């Protein structure tokens, strides 16, 4: 099944939104050039949801075990309450896995739309939404790889630059390094390449968008880590 084929293509030449899920990994510029400004939305997000669910299923047993240990350590918890916590955790986690790609895509597409206003070639919001559906594939692949390796190697596996932080490093430095990983760099490259192709140019056209998104992510990550550390320090016995 094909999606959003440009009028200049006949049915045999129309790009497939489903095949693009794989092709965008190794030839993102060509894929988005073929869509000619009209990127399909659903294939990328459905693929994200499926891959993320697989990763979630892999880590779910260990996650539930940790949840059970934590709950049982609380004398106020009864066995029934522990069971309810495990069920609600599994359901809630699964729901977030399904909703997460759409929320991220919807919000990030708005920022891409803003940057698109400064380009000569105008692109609709739907195509930016589709772009994010494909561009985020490296992130869910990274999550799946992390889940698999986490089960094989152990829960302390780190797949980002935080592993380079010296012992005793500050929370700020560790959190900042955690925003850098091969899969994140890969995501930003696909996003920049796709943005540039939609606007009839090179990946450098998407450089401003990528830098802005990284800075936003950096601020949220560092700020969240600092807030968490402060709250933990306020708890008794911490």
């Amino acid at each position: 099944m094909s999606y959003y084929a440009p009028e200049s293509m006949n049915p045999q030449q129309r790009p497939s939104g489903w095949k693009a899920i794989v092709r965008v990994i190794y030839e993102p510029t060509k894929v988005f050039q073929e869509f000619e400004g009209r990127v399909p939305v659903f294939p990328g997000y459905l693929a994200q949801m499926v891959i993320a669910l697989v990763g979630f299923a892999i880590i779910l047993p260990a996650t539930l075990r940790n949840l059970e240990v934590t709950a049982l350590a609380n004398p106020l918890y009864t066995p029934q309450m522990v069971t309810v916590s495990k069920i609600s955790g599994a359901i809630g986690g699964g729901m977030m896995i399904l909703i997460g790609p759409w929320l991220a895509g919807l919000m990030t597409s708005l920022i891409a739309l803003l940057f698109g206003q400064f380009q000569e070639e105008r692109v609709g919001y739907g195509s930016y939404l589709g772009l994010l559906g494909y561009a985020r594939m490296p992130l869910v692949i990274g999550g799946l790889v992390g889940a698999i390796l986490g089960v094989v190697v152990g829960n302390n596996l780190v797949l980002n630059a935080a592993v380079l932080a010296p012992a005793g490093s500050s929370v700020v430095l560790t959190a900042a390094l955690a925003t850098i990983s091969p899969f994140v760099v890969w995501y930003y490259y696909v996003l920049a390449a796709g943005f540039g192709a939609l606007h009839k140019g090179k990946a450098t056209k998407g450089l401003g968008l990528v830098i802005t998104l990284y800075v936003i992510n950096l601020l949220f990550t560092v700020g969240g880590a600092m807030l968490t550390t402060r709250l933990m320090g306020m708890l008794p016995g911490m």
Side-chain angles (χ1 to χ4, degrees), residues 32-140:
F32 290 111
Q33 286 175 340
E34 291 178 359
F35 284 132
E36 293 191 357
R38 304 179 67 187
V39 186
V41 172
F42 289 103
Y45 288 97
L46 291 177
Q48 284 189 63
M49 293 162 68
V50 170
I51 295 173
L53 277 177
V54 172
F56 179 68
I58 291 174
I59 66 172
L60 183 59
T63 302
L64 294 181
R65 283 195 300 270
N66 292 335
L67 179 61
E68 182 177 14
V69 170
T70 303
L72 290 175
N74 189 333
L76 299 178
Y77 269 71
T78 65
Q80 292 77 13
M81 294 172 65
V82 173
T83 300
V84 172
S85 296
K86 292 170 66 176
I87 294 174
S88 61
I91 295 176
M95 291 297 295
M96 285 305 301
I97 288 294
L98 295 176
I99 297 174
W102 291 97
L103 292 178
L106 288 167
M107 292 186 292
T108 309
S109 296
L110 288 174
I111 300 176
L113 180 64
L114 174 63
F115 275 84
Q117 303 308 303
F118 299 96
Q119 305 294 327
E120 294 182 2
E121 189 76 19
R122 293 303 174 89
V123 178
Y125 176 77
S127 285
Y128 291 124
L129 186 60
L131 165 62
L132 265 298
Y134 289 108
R136 287 179 55 82
M137 288 301 297
L139 297 181
V140 294

Side-chain angles (χ1 to χ4, degrees), residues 55 57-63 65-66 141-159 183:
I58 291 174
I59 66 172
L60 183 59
T63 302
R65 283 195 300 270
N66 292 335
I141 292 174
L144 179 60
V145 172
I148 295 173
L149 293 180
V151 171
V152 175
V153 179
N155 294 328
N156 295 324
L157 180 70
V158 177
L159 294 179
F183 297 100

Side-chain angles (χ1 to χ4, degrees), residues 146-230:
I148 295 173
L149 293 180
V151 171
V152 175
V153 179
N155 294 328
N156 295 324
L157 180 70
V158 177
L159 294 179
N160 54 57
V163 72
L164 302 177
S169 296
S170 66
V171 173
V172 173
L173 176 60
T174 303
L177 289 175
T179 63
I180 304 173
S181 77
F183 297 100
V184 169
V185 173
W186 185 6
Y187 154 62
Y188 284 135
Y189 168 70
V190 174
L191 180 59
F195 185 89
L198 288 180
H199 290 284
K200 310 297 184 183
K202 298 181 179 180
T204 50
K205 279 198 170 187
L207 188 59
L209 170 63
V210 165
I211 292 176
T212 300
L213 291 176
Y214 175 73
V215 170
I216 292 174
N217 180 51
L218 178 65
L219 293 176
F220 271 97
T221 302
V222 172
M226 293 176 63
L227 178 60
T228 299
T229 301
R230 176 165 296 186

